[in-house]
Amino acid sequence: MKPLEIKKGIYWVGAIDWDLRNFHGYSTQLGSTYNAYLIIDKKITLVDTVKHYMFEEMLERVKKLIDPSKIDYVISNHTEMDHSGSIPEIMDIAKNAVIICSPNGEKGLKKHFKKDWKFKVVNTGDSINIGKRNLNFVLMQMVHWPDSMAAYIPEDKLLLPNDAFGQHIASCERFDDEYGWDRVQTEAAKYYANIVLPFGAQVNKAIEAISGLDMDMIAPSHGLIWRSHIKDIIALYKKWANNVCEKKAVIVYDTMWHSTEKMAYAIKDVFEEKNIPCEIRNLQASHISDVVASILEAKYICIGSSTLNNGMLPTVSAFLTYIKGLAPKNRIGIAFGSYGWGGQSVSDIENILEQAKFELPIKGLKAQWVPDEAELNELKNKIGGIIK
Amino acid sequence: MQKYKCTVCGYIYDPAIGDPDGGIQPGTAFEDIPDSWVCPVCGAKKTEFVKEE
């Protein structure tokens, strides 16, 4: 368990969670890391910690550098327990340490841990000198919690933004260029779609706040550290924050006896005919956290469900609950589904999409029992008529 | 008219804009918003808001 020096006197001392496959419902097939950073200066500063069950791993890395009881400051950029989870253990060892956090961070940490620690609350524009360096703080409210903030070290051109720009990847590599832009980008997109998507306005505000900073490294709290693709990832964050979509379709469905599936594939033909890339996702096969990664940049989102018990299938209902909360904007929604009698699934889907502010250019795309070729052609014609 | 800020997420309620998606018409004073209204960004209750200086 070695620390890694990322800047002169600044070390990655995090933990690698190789086996993590479920992060509060987000499917993390590549595992993740919890990135903590130790700054050796006149005041020894630990920036964030790791999940509670990985405390020993972080401690071992810290001990290779210093006696952990000498830590002066623990910066808590974000209260969520994958980063704050080892604060109790580290505060037990570093008896004189002061926790530096945002106003909401103090409230949250007190509610989480019920401990009488020493806190120093900071706001945007506040700066703390730790010797050779200054830590400048920028509140990043709702990117992605009320307590979220970033620390910037001008002397090292280093930004420590916690979850912003993160990715769930467990790897031997620590830097973006070592792991490869394509792979990091894919996971950064999935992370944004699942964690940050509802907060586009706040992301824009945060990017504005950091845009004037001289940075050559962004070290997030999960995954790879950015040093070669800083401009690229900021450009993508701006694109996602503004819900800039590609001409792309994603068809998401579940089916009982393959009728809704037939409709899904018929709809896929329409997009193919128009040379619009189209992904198809059966919710029995794809995890919803992968599906939302697919829709991050998609203009057309088609959602299909058979009618079961006078409503939609539970998988589709769960997916729509997730989508409504993530609140993607500027999207065109198309609901479809088969039924035997009743046929409520389609209007139920449409209602939720309307609440989620999707544009619905066509409604009532239903097929009774098993759609035949003529019915599928009619479906194709209807959808073909609204796709530009 | 007085603006109000959500202490949870930093959203600012501007009476000139209102919150049409949340059913609050432009020109509605913060005091006249029903108590059932929640912050459009984070869902916090009206009681979490303070006057924006």
Side-chain angles (χ1 to χ4, degrees):
Chain A
M1 303 292 179
K2 279 166 59 185
L4 177 79
E5 190 169 31
I6 61 163
K7 287 268 181 185
K8 184 97 185 110
I10 302 179
Y11 297 83
W12 175 84
V13 291
I16 307 174
D17 200 344
W18 294 98
D19 299 330
L20 182 79
R21 291 295 177 272
N22 177 355
F23 189 93
H24 60 48
Y26 172 153
S27 157
T28 49
Q29 291 307 305
L30 299 176
S32 193
T33 64
Y34 315 107
N35 297 337
Y37 301 94
L38 189 72
I39 308 170
I40 313 280
D41 207 323
K42 200 171 160 198
K43 296 282 186 187
I44 295 174
T45 303
L46 178 67
V47 181
D48 293 314
T49 70
V50 298
K51 250 188 188 172
H52 68 96
Y53 58 74
M54 305 210 82
F55 170 67
E56 291 299 332
E57 185 172 328
M58 180 185 80
L59 187 66
E60 205 178 315
R61 293 186 210 275
V62 171
K63 277 181 172 173
K64 296 257 167 68
L65 298 164
I66 50 133
D67 171 357
S69 70
K70 307 287 187 208
I71 291 172
D72 297 289
Y73 292 133
V74 175
I75 296 178
S76 173
N77 279 325
H78 179 29
T79 312
E80 200 166 8
M81 285 181 281
D82 48 335
H83 309 296
S84 69
S86 292
I87 289 181
E89 286 80 1
I90 208 75
M91 293 302 280
D92 278 348
I93 296 172
K95 301 258 183 243
N96 296 316
V98 174
I99 296 175
I100 298 170
C101 62
S102 67
N104 282 322
E106 183 188 22
K107 285 182 205 163
L109 288 170
K110 284 182 172 170
K111 287 277 187 190
H112 273 74
F113 299 108
K114 336 276 183 201
K115 295 277 188 182
D116 196 20
W117 295 319
K118 279 174 270 179
F119 286 93
K120 179 164 178 56
V121 171
V122 290
N123 279 289
T124 296
D126 289 347
S127 184
I128 291 176
N129 180 272
I130 59 167
K132 282 184 261 172
R133 301 172 178 81
N134 291 291
L135 300 172
N136 299 347
F137 298 96
V138 181
L139 299 193
M140 296 186 21
Q141 272 179 297
M142 298 318 281
V143 182
H144 65 117
W145 272 20
D147 47 72
S148 298
M149 70 172 190
Y152 170 66
I153 307 173
E155 293 79 5
D156 295 293
K157 300 185 180 182
L158 172 64
L159 182 73
L160 301 155
N162 196 271
D163 278 344
F165 310 112
Q167 338 89 39
H168 283 313
I169 299 171
S171 60
C172 312
E173 298 84 359
R174 296 274 70 82
F175 291 102
D176 55 354
D177 45 44
E178 296 170 339
Y179 195 78
W181 163 246
D182 283 349
R183 289 200 294 164
V184 191
Q185 178 198 181
T186 302
E187 292 307 316
K190 181 174 175 181
Y191 191 91
Y192 188 98
N194 280 278
I195 305 287
V196 194
L197 186 52
F199 309 115
Q202 289 71 31
V203 170
N204 277 331
K205 224 158 105 180
I207 287 179
E208 202 186 312
I210 62 166
S211 62
L213 304 177
D214 186 11
M215 294 181 282
D216 64 15
M217 193 178 286
I218 296 180
S221 57
H222 293 290
L224 285 304
I225 297 168
W226 304 97
R227 67 177 176 193
S228 292
H229 295 283
I230 291 175
K231 278 185 184 160
D232 300 319
I233 190 62
I234 290 178
L236 278 179
Y237 260 59
K238 279 185 187 165
K239 179 184 184 185
W240 297 331
N242 291 304
N243 278 270
V244 176
C245 298
E246 300 289 334
K247 224 172 176 191
K248 173 189 167 183
V250 181
I251 299 171
V252 187
Y253 74 100
D254 195 359
T255 191
M256 293 168 70
W257 293 100
H258 303 291
S259 289
T260 299
E261 183 173 57
K262 283 190 172 80
M263 297 175 79
Y265 277 84
I267 295 169
K268 184 173 183 287
D269 283 349
V270 181
F271 287 105
E272 275 185 6
E273 282 299 317
K274 293 185 181 275
N275 295 316
I276 296 172
C278 178
E279 288 183 30
I280 191 153
R281 298 290 197 143
N282 182 328
L283 286 168
Q284 294 292 345
S286 288
H287 195 274
I288 55 172
S289 59
D290 289 312
V291 180
V292 297
S294 287
I295 69 161
L296 178 59
E297 297 184 357
K299 183 75 187 170
Y300 298 97
I301 301 171
C302 311
I303 300 185
S305 174
S306 336
T307 293
L308 173 73
N309 303 331
N310 302 337
M312 70 184 89
L313 292 169
T315 47
V316 181
S317 180
F319 176 71
L320 286 172
T321 298
Y322 200 40
I323 282 290
K324 196 178 157 194
L326 291 171
K329 295 179 178 64
N330 309 329
R331 311 301 167 121
I332 293 173
I334 296 172
F336 64 96
S338 67
Y339 68 103
W341 59 100
Q344 296 86 344
S345 66
V346 173
S347 53
D348 284 359
I349 294 169
E350 287 165 351
N351 285 341
I352 296 175
L353 290 178
E354 271 174 352
Q355 288 167 28
K357 313 275 185 256
F358 278 52
E359 184 190 333
L360 300 179
I362 189 165
K363 286 190 176 180
L365 298 174
K366 296 182 199 179
Q368 193 172 20
W369 300 119
V370 181
D372 60 20
E373 205 179 326
E375 288 167 300
L376 291 176
N377 281 334
E378 193 192 333
L379 172 69
K380 285 185 196 180
N381 288 337
K382 279 183 183 168
I383 291 180
I386 55 133
I387 296 168
K388 289 157 198 128
Chain B
M1 276 194 282
Q2 177 68 47
K3 292 179 184 174
Y4 279 73
K5 183 177 181 173
C6 175
T7 55
V8 176
C9 75
Y11 163 81
I12 290 168
Y13 175 78
D14 181 349
I17 299 166
D19 173 28
D21 285 348
I24 309 299
Q25 295 310 308
T28 308
F30 185 79
E31 294 74 14
D32 296 332
I33 297 175
D35 289 341
S36 56
W37 178 81
V38 296
C39 173
V41 172
C42 72
K45 292 191 184 78
K46 199 181 157 186
T47 49
E48 301 284 351
F49 280 71
V50 294
K51 276 184 186 169
E52 166 73 349
E53 302 305 331

